[in-house]
Amino acid sequence: MENQIFELQYAIDTFYFLVSGALVMWMAAGFSMLEAGLVRSKNTAEILTKNVALFAISCIMYLICGYMIMYGGDLFLSGIAGGDSLVDDALAASAENGFGGDSVYSGASDFFFQVVFVATAMSIVSGAVAERMKLWAFLLFAVVMTGFIYPMEGNWTWGGGSVFGLYSLGDDFGFSDFAGSGIVHMAGAAAALAAVLVLGPRKGKYPADGKINAIPGANLPLATLGTFILWMGWFGFNGGSVLKLGDIASANSVAMVFLNTNTAAAGGAVTALVTARMLFGKADLTMLLNGALAGLVAITAEPSTPSPLEATLIGAVGGLIVVFSIISLDKMKIDDPVGAISVHGVVGLWGLLAVPMTNDGTTYFGQLVGAGTIFAWVFGVSLVTWLIIKVIMGVRVSEEEEYEGVDLAECGLEAYPEFVKN
């Protein structure tokens, strides 16, 4: 009887992991639609190509070496071409092999859930560099980001490893990031910031007269659809991070995480909308969309301990921050077409700092150390990687190709061939 109960729990928790992973995978569609809606029509096909390709690259690189770097201990290279392989390590845990320790789900389901997080981090970079980056330079960076940069900081956090043997974020500082406000979102934004600094702004965005030219996206209905897809996928992102469902305590935790995730997004959306109305005199749809995403990023670091009202307020602060962050980055001439650095980076930091408000096991100092470690590593290594790629093959399309649109230059086709290019 006891074994039957364990088998049922194993099946439920494995299934929950897989469904949650599928929801997070669906976020790739959300990023694709959001970014395609916020760029000009002449750049749509290329950004869709990037989003599909980066997902595929993420899956392959995490399989080859990323998972072993993240969870294989200090000898992180053991998973590359020989030694302990990912396939043996991640897929060995199955129902036929019984249950090990506290694990009550298939190792393969754990790998699947982890790999879609890697793709999410890389998707953040895609929107920030839109409309002027070479496709193959971006894909080359995706190999490095998903196979090495992200897994290394993942090893120091969720993997429980020490930072080059110097200190442990968890044991020494009590750092906590439930589902990845810093580990996934701020990391992706740090890589994006490094790329944007190397790449430079789009032509005409910041003219010599000191003005800031708005470059509107071609399809706001598509961007809105993308936001709702991301909102839905976030239930898997945060809810799946509970890791279990097959007992009463876990089920209650999952329900609370779902509730808090949803209400934080609502708080962020409303606050961003009201803030935009007060600043611009109009209801800015793009700020509303980014506000909802900011609320989701903010609550991701700790969606299980706040009350629903506290979660709403955490999301609301995220919605407020993102509006001013987008404005500030524009004034600094950091060109981010979709607001990814603000949504995922600046608000990701806020999400980490909000954790001690409801989680007594963390401190502000510990959260700052964790955030600083993640940002310094990802930004620093990403900057070096981008500079190397720039020397090897260049990172930016020509001025003529940028004017005509990267769809034709990089993909040889247009997303909307029957319409006049804008």
Side-chain angles (χ1 to χ4, degrees):
M1 181 66 181
E2 183 177 352
N3 189 56
Q4 289 178 336
I5 293 175
F6 272 117
E7 287 185 359
L8 179 60
Q9 184 176 359
Y10 186 97
I12 291 174
D13 290 343
T14 296
F15 181 72
Y16 179 62
F17 242 162
L18 294 174
V19 171
S20 296
L23 280 172
V24 179
M25 185 274 172
W26 186 231
M27 291 174 69
F31 279 113
S32 298
M33 296 302 97
L34 176 67
E35 294 170 17
L38 293 178
V39 301
R40 288 167 288 184
S41 60
K42 62 185 179 181
N43 301 306
T44 306
E46 192 262 358
I47 205 164
L48 295 174
T49 303
K50 284 197 301 185
N51 275 276
V52 177
L54 74 86
F55 184 84
I57 290 171
S58 300
C59 293
I60 294 171
M61 291 307 301
Y62 202 63
L63 179 70
I64 293 173
C65 59
Y67 188 87
M68 284 301 296
I69 292 174
M70 195 160 171
Y71 294 106
D74 293 332
L75 299 177
F76 57 83
L77 293 179
S78 63
I80 302 177
D84 296 330
S85 71
L86 180 279
V87 174
D88 291 339
D89 195 52
L91 306 187
S94 63
E96 292 78 13
N97 293 331
F99 310 97
D102 296 327
S103 176
V104 287
Y105 46 77
S106 164
S109 68
D110 175 66
F111 172 80
F112 175 68
F113 185 69
Q114 295 291 338
V115 75
V116 290
F117 273 54
V118 186
T120 298
M122 190 61 213
S123 295
I124 295 166
V125 183
S126 173
V129 301
E131 301 198 316
R132 74 267 200 209
M133 173 167 275
K134 289 182 176 180
L135 173 64
W136 292 99
F138 174 83
L139 298 182
L140 179 57
F141 177 80
V143 172
V144 181
M145 176 70 177
T146 60
F148 177 66
I149 299 175
Y150 171 87
M152 279 297 290
E153 58 97 5
N155 174 264
W156 302 334
T157 49
W158 288 331
S162 63
V163 183
F164 298 118
L166 300 175
Y167 58 90
S168 170
L169 290 175
D171 294 337
D172 296 338
F173 296 99
F175 173 76
S176 177
D177 189 357
F178 186 91
S181 287
I183 298 168
V184 178
H185 294 280
M186 193 180 69
L193 177 61
V196 169
L197 294 178
V198 173
L199 194 61
R202 290 168 290 177
K203 295 296 182 183
K205 177 65 177 176
Y206 305 115
D209 60 8
K211 294 182 179 179
I212 300 173
N213 287 337
I215 303 179
N219 197 328
L220 292 183
L222 204 61
T224 303
L225 174 62
T227 301
F228 273 119
I229 292 174
L230 288 168
W231 194 328
M232 177 182 175
W234 231 286
F235 296 126
F237 199 96
N238 287 355
S241 295
V242 177
L243 306 180
K244 298 172 64 178
L245 180 65
D247 58 77
I248 292 175
S250 296
N252 286 335
S253 180
V254 168
M256 182 57 71
V257 168
F258 269 58
L259 171 58
N260 285 343
T261 298
N262 188 65
T263 195
V270 171
T271 303
L273 179 64
V274 172
T275 303
R277 175 65 175 81
M278 294 174 64
L279 293 176
F280 313 133
K282 302 290 182 181
D284 189 317
L285 173 61
T286 61
M287 290 297 183
L288 172 63
L289 300 180
N290 279 326
L293 297 176
L296 290 164
V297 171
I299 200 61
T300 294
E302 185 48 88
S304 63
T305 57
S307 68
L309 178 58
E310 289 171 332
T312 306
L313 294 176
I314 291 171
V317 173
L320 178 68
I321 291 172
V322 77
V323 175
F324 288 100
S325 176
I326 290 173
I327 295 172
S328 298
L329 288 182
D330 249 351
K331 291 181 179 179
M332 296 166 63
K333 297 185 178 181
I334 297 176
D335 186 14
D336 179 359
V338 303
I341 297 171
S342 296
V343 170
H344 301 276
V346 179
V347 179
L349 175 60
W350 155 243
L352 290 177
L353 295 179
V355 173
M357 296 179 183
T358 60
N359 187 335
D360 295 335
T362 60
T363 65
Y364 291 106
F365 180 71
Q367 295 301 97
L368 282 171
V369 171
T373 300
I374 293 169
F375 181 82
W377 166 258
V378 178
F379 178 80
V381 180
S382 295
L383 183 62
V384 171
T385 304
W386 285 120
L387 290 173
I388 292 173
I389 294 173
K390 183 178 181 179
V391 171
I392 294 173
M393 60 187 301
V395 296
R396 184 162 185 150
V397 299
S398 68
E399 188 170 341
E400 181 181 355
E401 289 172 335
E402 183 177 346
Y403 176 78
E404 293 178 351
V406 291
D407 281 3
L408 289 174
E410 297 287 350
C411 301
L413 52 81
E414 297 175 286
Y416 309 107
E418 68 274 23
F419 297 120
V420 176
K421 295 195 294 287
N422 55 17

